[in-house]
Amino acid sequence: MTKNADPFAADRDQLGSALFTPRSVALVGASADPSKLASRPQRVLRKHGFTGTIIPINPARTEINGDRAYPSLASVPEKIDHAFIMVPSAAVPGVIDDCVEAGVKVATIFTAGFAELGEAGRRVQDAMVEKAHQGGVRLIGPNCLGVVNVSGHTVLSANAVLESETLHSGHLSLVSQSGSMMGAIVSRAQTRGLGFSKLVSVGNECDVGVGEIVDCMVDDPATRCIMLFLETFRDAPRLGLAARRAYALGKPVIAFKLGRSAVGRQIATTHTGAIVGADDVANAFFKDNGIIRVETFEALYETAQLVNGFKPPKGKRVSVLTGTGGAAAMVVDRLGLTGIEVVGPTPKIMADLALQNIQVSDAPLIDMPMGRGEGKVYSTIINALMDSEHCDAVVAVQGSTATQNPESVRQRMLAATLGAKPLAIFLAPQADTALRILQDSNVAAFRTPEACADAVRAYCEWQVPTDHPGIDPQVLQSLNTTLQSIVGVPMHEQAAASALSVLGIPFAPSQVIASGAESVALQFPVVAKILSADIPHKTEVGGVVLNIVDAIELRTTVDAMLARITQSNPQAHIEGVLVQSMARGIAEVIVGYRRDPDVGPVVMVGVGGVMAELGGGHAVRLAPLTLAEAHKMIEEVPGFALLRGYRNQPSGDLTALAQVIHQMSLLACVETCVVTEAEINPLLVKSDGVLAVDALLVTAALNKETI
Amino acid sequence: MTKNADPFAADRDQLGSALFTPRSVALVGASADPSKLASRPQRVLRKHGFTGTIIPINPARTEINGDRAYPSLASVPEKIDHAFIMVPSAAVPGVIDDCVEAGVKVATIFTAGFAELGEAGRRVQDAMVEKAHQGGVRLIGPNCLGVVNVSGHTVLSANAVLESETLHSGHLSLVSQSGSMMGAIVSRAQTRGLGFSKLVSVGNECDVGVGEIVDCMVDDPATRCIMLFLETFRDAPRLGLAARRAYALGKPVIAFKLGRSAVGRQIATTHTGAIVGADDVANAFFKDNGIIRVETFEALYETAQLVNGFKPPKGKRVSVLTGTGGAAAMVVDRLGLTGIEVVGPTPKIMADLALQNIQVSDAPLIDMPMGRGEGKVYSTIINALMDSEHCDAVVAVQGSTATQNPESVRQRMLAATLGAKPLAIFLAPQADTALRILQDSNVAAFRTPEACADAVRAYCEWQVPTDHPGIDPQVLQSLNTTLQSIVGVPMHEQAAASALSVLGIPFAPSQVIASGAESVALQFPVVAKILSADIPHKTEVGGVVLNIVDAIELRTTVDAMLARITQSNPQAHIEGVLVQSMARGIAEVIVGYRRDPDVGPVVMVGVGGVMAELGGGHAVRLAPLTLAEAHKMIEEVPGFALLRGYRNQPSGDLTALAQVIHQMSLLACVETCVVTEAEINPLLVKSDGVLAVDALLVTAALNKETI
């Protein structure tokens, strides 16, 4: 995307300056009493050397701690770039009106008590945002801890950590949905020698969200790596675009996101997924947009140094060198559990090292006690691994030397070919000095084997942002027309199948009959299914009969079914009975599509039919997707072992399956309505082709809330 | 187990004294050159205040650093309790002979270069052990870093960490299969204020293994908690007994074991499991013997304080209180992923707190910002959770206060009802002082959300050592007789089925015929299977034909099969064709038994037939087991959803399935041979009863190597 084509560029420049480099800051609700929280931002601004104008707003004072105070924003004679609002929640909407009047560019609302408290709070918040939009004021928060520009000496926050800590300037920037975690991350990272450029606590994200902030950070020359501490998604599409821009500029985005477990989702967001768990969707979103996701807390800041300056790897192959077997085994074991390949040295490396009188085996772990050669041997091996194409990252583990002689750790690393590929150092003992020394030498160092393995895994799973395909214009037109005619209409199986057929998905031959008296031109055995948009769960009302062997049996079965269901479900409008030839595949598969409330259109594939309950796994991607990506999804599902040709059995037609996944994903392109949900379950995968035997489709009218 | 009934008590007392409280120590191969590794143990002994006699053995010196030196063990006039051997590997066997001559009680072999190098090294090692056994010398190592008694001022080691660190006396003891990890754990734990009683690096465990050392530690009055860093099992049965004794005396045993992944197993042990992954067996072993297993490194030492003084919990319910939502959510999310239930407060707790003017909701996370009530509110809520029966452990999370005001953290904790149940504190920011203060106050504190959640999970999954049932004497006699007659004989399906029938396992009706001309008295349809102990994979030679509908088809099928296989497998001895009535169950299950090389007899149950490939999971236990335990296994298998009554389908006869698991587990009781492996796959589970349709049984003669 070129700068010219970037629709957000101008807005972003304006927001970024008011956010991070305001020349004047109004502290609305500032207190002169140092024991009050509302007195802190003024002290914090001064402590960190803010050189602009500080304007306390307090009707009871004309001066606070040396700054001229004003009774209201309206009474301030000069222009205000940024207002930091600390008044009680009931007074906030009035202050926003004042901001509009005064032409404030950005208002950061520290005050809590809005959407996070429920529906009433949300209404107040929404009204406030509406007015701010009309008046051209951008809002951060509410319920947030503030905005920090470390190198710009602008620390606009009520956070206790930011009052006490000395902030170190550096190349990391952080966006956090949790205010308190901003302080926790800063205190931990700074202890390790990491410095920051920009920090933003976004709170409720009523207006400016994570995505837009990231987009501003991408433009910050001092920012080389962007870290995200996320609890939910509120502006996923914008975040996706910002992350892709960061990727293009070589600035890695690293995310830690809560909500991996059900209880985690319960407390972090209100949304819970159906078959596609919400966290799989989050993962799909991150991968799709080239975001690196870590799963351990310390890895959030420890990974920055590891990936800085690198692109996604070709493979997932890691070489490990250690001076202490047990410690390295902890890292290797974790890597193995996450599917990363731990590779021993190649014959060439072994031969090259042998020429230098260093003997190593081809075992996955190169165990080289430190005593030998005072570290020179160790550095030589690291260089051999760094220079070789056989691995994508190198892990080096150090034992007691890291405590006994921290300086030697630096020497060894400085002798290494840094920059060829990511190098992660895990230090087994307590070795705070060595950790700091390594960071100061721009080497990624890790405190725990878990964070080390997690960071290396996260790097190995990092992907180039995914390309999404377009749709054939003719197919799109048919889809638009077909779906437009049935928007919002409850659909029975046959209607859904008919609509999905437009995409080219093959359905099993079927025929609808109104009574047993009608004959069918289908091959027996057949299945008979009640056809009614009012009966979504056919099996539960006895609306499915399998394995009907001939016309006589069909007749009695259909009449009995109609009689039974007419009686049990008198309100249901019954369209007839769908009769379908019985078919068998090598395996039954589910292909699903839905518009996820967090990230938008997604497509999934997994083990279908009753076997879905066996836990064979599934794969999820953002839609639409290419055929190649659909093939990758199929590879990810462990339960598809049967399809891949199990024990001399015939294998399934994976090309045809990939085609259906691709076709379903094109529902994201429909322009005349919103496809809320679509599902084929089961799709029979045969050795030659696939056959859909049941379908579901839910549509809704377009509205402005649609992602 | 009473002291009188303990067969190891006397040996243990003798070993324990020579190991940990020797009055005299010979340093065989001691060097006078301080730059040599072999000079270190003498310095380390002195540094830590050893008050016994130090006897350097060095043929070239009569004195080393103030101690009288001797040319050989034989020339030492006084009695030697413990010899520490540092001579080159080739000289070690000779020194062991000297130890025998000199009546040394324990020899710790620091020297490496034995079984860890391969078969030749193993032979030398075995011969050495044989001589030591005959001569009454117990051996530690080889390839180990030594033995430490902190309070007894006996530090017998060549470890650099132990030379530099001041050792703090405390109540933790550690056995490590990795020498370097002993130092790493000590340095980390001591930084946190934890102190040690005994430390042993066991190396190759050629004689004294982890189990026997743990057994000695159980007798140590100063040891309250035993930590294990394990790479493999070499004396699992003894470790099991020792852990049970530790459990009975209220001394928790906490284990970190490598080999969770395949590559981890590759580097940690040579053993890899078949369907039952070796790590599941390790887990089963730990649970069986009341050992607490942690999965993160820091949790190994952080868990000690958490579980100290407690017994296994009734449930897996955890309450979480926090001053910072994001940080607590990290812990809760992890707990949720591992199946721990995070429970909100009960109505009673909410009412009681409301009386004290504290309002909390019933959400899983109690979020109570710290500002309110200066921590008193926080302590009051903790006490309410600690005193309630609705949860089994409490997690409390603290944010910036932990850094800003570490002392307040102590005050809050001292106001809490400690001792009612485990209380884990996670500190979100960098807060080294607060971590130390909490440890000094005997409160379990955690540095990372991952270790905190792991420790709490490990506590929640801790189980009372499992009771193993006996076997009915009549059944045992029949089994003994039946299996004795077929020891080591390759067995075809029918022979295996017949042997397993002795246990009461129901097999599908079948009949063996020699040719198609013979008729069968079985209900059609039937299956025909080639019967030959020489053809283990029947399907691959066309030796299985399903769904034969009548006698005519059976005749032609059987004759064709016999002709085909006689030609394709001319060497195979064919017993005939097994004809079996076709049967269908609600699900197909595999029940397996094997004598695991690590831990002995185990039984497993999982999804059977081709569905096993879908990854429906399985459960493993040490055998024999009770019916109640078999039921617990069934509950653990996610893939048994179909058996538990899926979507109005009939549920399977789980009682009959549990019975078969129990019956298979009784193979562990056989006295006349070793059952190496047994398997029923599939076992058809019907709504009423079960039916085994295929069986496998491998036996071997008894030998002294048998666990």
Side-chain angles (χ1 to χ4, degrees), chain A residues 525-597:
Chain A
V526 296
V527 56
K529 298 188 269 189
I530 195 76
L531 200 60
S532 167
D534 302 330
I535 302 177
H537 300 293
K538 302 183 280 274
T539 311
E540 290 177 13
V541 297
V544 179
V545 177
L546 299 170
N547 225 359
I548 300 165
V549 297
D550 57 26
I552 298 164
E553 191 183 345
L554 178 63
R555 179 180 194 133
T556 54
T557 301
V558 165
D559 287 339
M561 182 187 288
L562 286 168
R564 188 168 58 240
I565 296 177
T566 309
Q567 189 166 18
S568 66
N569 294 52
Q571 313 298 331
H573 176 72
I574 293 169
E575 308 261 353
V577 173
L578 181 80
V579 185
Q580 202 173 45
S581 287
M582 291 279 283
R584 276 193 175 274
I586 291 166
E588 300 191 347
V589 165
I590 176 172
V591 181
Y593 167 92
R594 68 187 175 96
R595 190 163 284 263
D596 183 83

Side-chain angles (χ1 to χ4, degrees), chain B residues 404-610:
Chain B
Q404 309 297 312
N405 187 357
E407 190 53 37
S408 76
V409 171
R410 189 208 306 264
Q411 294 309 323
R412 254 169 232 155
M413 290 311 130
L414 290 186
T417 318
L418 297 179
K421 65 184 67 156
L423 171 65
I425 313 287
F426 166 55
L427 303 181
Q430 187 80 25
D432 297 342
T433 307
L435 283 171
R436 186 67 190 250
I437 284 176
L438 285 168
Q439 180 56 47
D440 291 346
S441 309
N442 292 321
V443 175
F446 295 85
R447 246 193 62 82
T448 69
E450 292 83 18
C452 181
D454 183 36
V456 171
R457 172 208 57 76
Y459 168 72
C460 286
E461 291 184 352
W462 186 19
Q463 290 180 2
V464 177
T466 312
D467 282 332
H468 293 281
I471 181 171
D472 177 280
Q474 271 190 302
V475 173
L476 178 60
Q477 204 187 336
S478 306
L479 255 187
N480 277 340
T481 310
T482 307
L483 293 180
Q484 186 166 28
S485 65
I486 50 176
V487 172
V489 175
M491 250 176 287
H492 56 57
E493 176 184 343
Q494 198 211 22
S498 157
L500 294 177
S501 299
V502 174
L503 289 162
I505 297 170
F507 279 81
S510 67
Q511 205 173 322
V512 181
I513 55 177
S515 80
E518 287 183 46
S519 67
V520 296
L522 291 167
Q523 195 179 346
F524 284 90
V526 297
V527 55
K529 298 187 268 190
I530 195 75
L531 200 60
S532 167
D534 301 331
I535 302 176
H537 301 292
K538 300 183 282 273
T539 311
E540 290 176 13
V541 297
V544 179
V545 177
L546 300 170
N547 225 0
I548 301 165
V549 295
D550 57 25
I552 298 162
E553 189 183 348
L554 179 64
R555 180 177 195 137
T556 54
T557 302
V558 165
D559 286 340
M561 181 187 290
L562 286 169
R564 185 166 64 241
I565 295 178
T566 309
Q567 192 167 15
S568 65
N569 294 52
Q571 313 298 331
H573 175 71
I574 292 169
E575 307 262 353
V577 173
L578 180 79
V579 186
Q580 203 174 42
S581 287
M582 290 279 282
R584 278 195 174 273
I586 292 166
E588 299 192 347
V589 165
I590 177 172
V591 181
Y593 167 93
R594 69 187 174 96
R595 190 164 284 263
D596 183 83
D598 284 347
V599 308
V602 293
V603 66
M604 69 80 75
V605 64
V607 175
V610 292

Side-chain angles (χ1 to χ4, degrees), chain A residues 164 180 187-188 191 259-261 295-298 324 333-334 404 427-428 430 447 450 613-614 639 646, chain B residues 164 180 187-188 191 259-261 295-298 324 333-334 404 427-428 430 447 450 613-614 639 646:
Chain A
S164 60
S180 63
S187 79
R188 284 174 178 250
T191 303
R260 293 173 65 215
S261 68
E295 295 179 353
T296 55
F297 176 42
E298 290 188 291
T324 154
D333 212 10
R334 283 260 159 189
Q404 309 295 312
L427 303 180
Q430 187 80 27
R447 246 194 62 83
E450 293 83 19
E613 297 297 308
L614 293 184
Y646 166 75
Chain B
S164 60
S180 64
S187 79
R188 284 174 178 250
T191 303
R260 291 173 65 215
S261 69
E295 295 179 354
T296 56
F297 176 41
E298 289 187 293
T324 155
D333 213 10
R334 284 262 158 187
Q404 309 297 312
L427 303 181
Q430 187 80 25
R447 246 193 62 82
E450 292 83 18
E613 297 298 306
L614 294 184
Y646 166 74

Side-chain angles (χ1 to χ4, degrees), chain A residues 85-96:
Chain A
I85 301 173
M86 300 172 278
V87 299
S89 54
V92 173
V95 174
I96 298 303

Side-chain angles (χ1 to χ4, degrees), chain A residues 42-58:
Chain A
Q42 191 184 11
R43 284 198 306 278
V44 171
L45 275 169
R46 291 227 177 286
K47 173 186 161 83
H48 295 287
F50 181 63
T51 56
T53 314
I54 300 176
I55 307 163
I57 305 294
N58 183 328

Side-chain angles (χ1 to χ4, degrees), chain A residues 229-417:
Chain A
F229 187 94
L230 301 178
E231 294 176 306
T232 186
F233 292 114
R234 292 199 189 89
D235 65 345
R238 182 66 187 267
L239 176 57
L241 290 174
R244 283 166 180 258
R245 222 164 59 81
Y247 180 85
L249 294 172
K251 301 187 178 192
V253 180
I254 303 168
F256 180 98
K257 184 174 178 298
L258 292 167
R260 293 173 65 215
S261 68
V263 64
R265 285 193 290 281
Q266 188 187 344
I267 62 172
T269 74
T270 54
H271 174 250
T272 56
I275 289 188
V276 176
D279 197 61
D280 303 310
V281 172
N283 251 344
F285 172 81
F286 290 134
K287 291 204 174 174
D288 192 90
N289 292 296
I291 296 173
I292 299 169
R293 184 184 193 177
V294 295
E295 295 179 353
T296 55
F297 176 42
E298 290 188 291
L300 178 56
Y301 49 90
E302 290 181 329
T303 302
Q305 186 65 63
L306 183 74
V307 301
N308 191 19
F310 295 104
K311 290 280 174 192
K314 286 177 202 158
K316 300 182 181 183
R317 305 155 305 168
V318 176
S319 275
V320 184
L321 167 67
T322 185
T324 154
M330 293 194 291
V331 179
V332 169
D333 212 10
R334 283 260 159 189
L335 287 173
L337 281 177
T338 58
I340 302 302
E341 200 186 343
V342 180
V343 292
T346 59
K348 180 177 179 328
I349 292 177
M350 291 164 67
D352 289 351
L353 289 174
L355 288 178
Q356 300 173 70
N357 210 18
I358 301 172
Q359 312 301 330
V360 299
S361 82
D362 64 353
L365 185 60
I366 308 177
D367 200 341
M368 185 55 59
M370 279 307 207
R372 303 192 196 168
E374 294 295 318
K376 187 166 177 308
V377 168
Y378 195 85
S379 304
T380 305
I381 301 173
I382 286 191
N383 285 352
L385 300 175
M386 293 296 280
D387 292 339
S388 165
E389 289 285 317
H390 84 296
C391 66
D392 303 290
V394 175
V395 174
V397 180
Q398 309 214 0
S400 55
T401 319
T403 309
Q404 309 295 312
N405 189 357
E407 191 51 39
S408 76
V409 171
R410 189 209 306 266
Q411 294 310 323
R412 251 167 234 156
M413 289 311 128
L414 291 186
T417 319

Side-chain angles (χ1 to χ4, degrees), chain B residues 148-152 167-175 185-186 189-190 192-199 214 216-228 246 249-254 300-301 303-309 439-442:
Chain B
V148 177
N149 173 358
V150 179
S151 55
L167 291 172
H168 303 304
S169 190
H171 300 294
L172 296 179
S173 286
L174 168 70
V175 189
I185 293 166
V186 167
Q190 292 206 153
R192 293 284 295 280
L194 290 158
F196 289 90
S197 176
K198 309 283 181 286
L199 305 162
V214 169
C216 289
M217 287 172 170
V218 173
D219 290 335
D220 172 28
T223 296
R224 284 201 206 135
C225 184
I226 299 166
M227 307 191 300
L228 311 177
L249 294 172
K251 302 186 176 191
V253 179
I254 303 168
L300 178 56
Y301 48 90
T303 302
Q305 186 66 61
L306 184 73
V307 300
N308 190 18
Q439 180 56 47
D440 291 346
S441 309
N442 292 321

